Amino acid sequence: MQQRQALDAPLAMSRFSRLTGALAALLAVAVALMTLSGCGKDDEKPSVKETGARHAVADRLEPLAGKPPEPRLPVTVRSADGRDVTVRSADRIVPLSGSVSEIVFSLGLGDRVVARDISATFAEASKLPVVTRAHDVSAESVLSLKPGVVLADTRTGPGEALDQIRAAGVPVVVLDVPAQLSDVGPHIERIAAALGVRDAGAALRKRSEERLERAKRDIPRGGRDKPRVAFLYMRGSASVYLLGGARSGASSLIEAAGGVDAGKESGLTKDFTPITTEALAKAAPDVILVMSKGLESVGGVDGLLKIPGVAETPAGLDRRVASVDDGVLLNYGPRTDAVLRSLVEQIHRGGGR
């Protein structure tokens, strides 16, 4: 859950409500951390019940096959902030979101990207200069790279930095944050349109949606009740422990993987609520879903079970913890099919089809 401080936390950053008071500030930081977080590597095989080992999605991208597309510019697109933005050059692209960066590279335009946000954790972006400070955009750093276009999303901030970039004459296209599986295709095509590569966007959308459909075929059917999955956002170093609700961004993935979003089902209609023994008891998850960095930050599965209320849930009693890398879990992009396959494997582990 972006958004900025970010999900590093990818996730989260995303789709986060604006609450008031201290809780609002806490949730804003957590959500931003969420979607923008980095990924870890998979060095252990989880056991049947304990699925809390880092479960990594490949950190390399797969650009479209063939010759990279040639942008047809200028184009004028409607930005999510209500502005009509004209893009005249895509020679030097600065994406200010890990999710957006992933799509730009997958379109075959990676050689044109000159900087990255801290949440762009995939291998191809690793050597690019970072133009965020604690997940806030540095206008000075962006402008020093002489970008032809900046791609942001509605979590990107501070607003003053984006205004400074615009004032320097650089087009800034703001994109809505995808929140569910059905957003993957439209999100890809909006980015492609802003860069003048609509045909490549249509091709990447087709490939991504076809792979998602294939991933859905592996979902276990029948023979048992759907597992109740609670999405927990945690940053132990900051003492942030949150239970995801209907607007956390994880519901679509959990449901597509053949599970029930336990937080949403227990009546949590917003994005996140602080973890309490009572909230967890009501959610009664069979599986706990976490980001890999969040799990590390609390000391792994053993540390997770020390958080009040976790050990008493069905998931805690069975040590059933599903973990996916921060940089991809809530990105809703070209690698979401791999995330879905990972979730299917983890939340149904040990169950029949």
Side-chain angles (χ1 to χ4, degrees), residues 46 49-55 295 301 319-323 346:
K49 281 192 175 181
E50 185 171 315
T51 60
R54 299 182 75 177
H55 202 281
L295 186 62
V301 174
R319 297 176 67 89
R320 293 190 64 190
V321 182
S323 171
Q346 294 186 79

Side-chain angles (χ1 to χ4, degrees), residues 43 47 59 99 107 113 136 149 157 168 185 206 216 227 230 262 281 296 330:
D43 25 34
S47 66
D59 74 345
S99 173
L107 287 167
V113 178
D136 283 340
V149 59
K206 182 174 184 291
K216 292 177 184 178
E296 289 178 1
L330 298 183

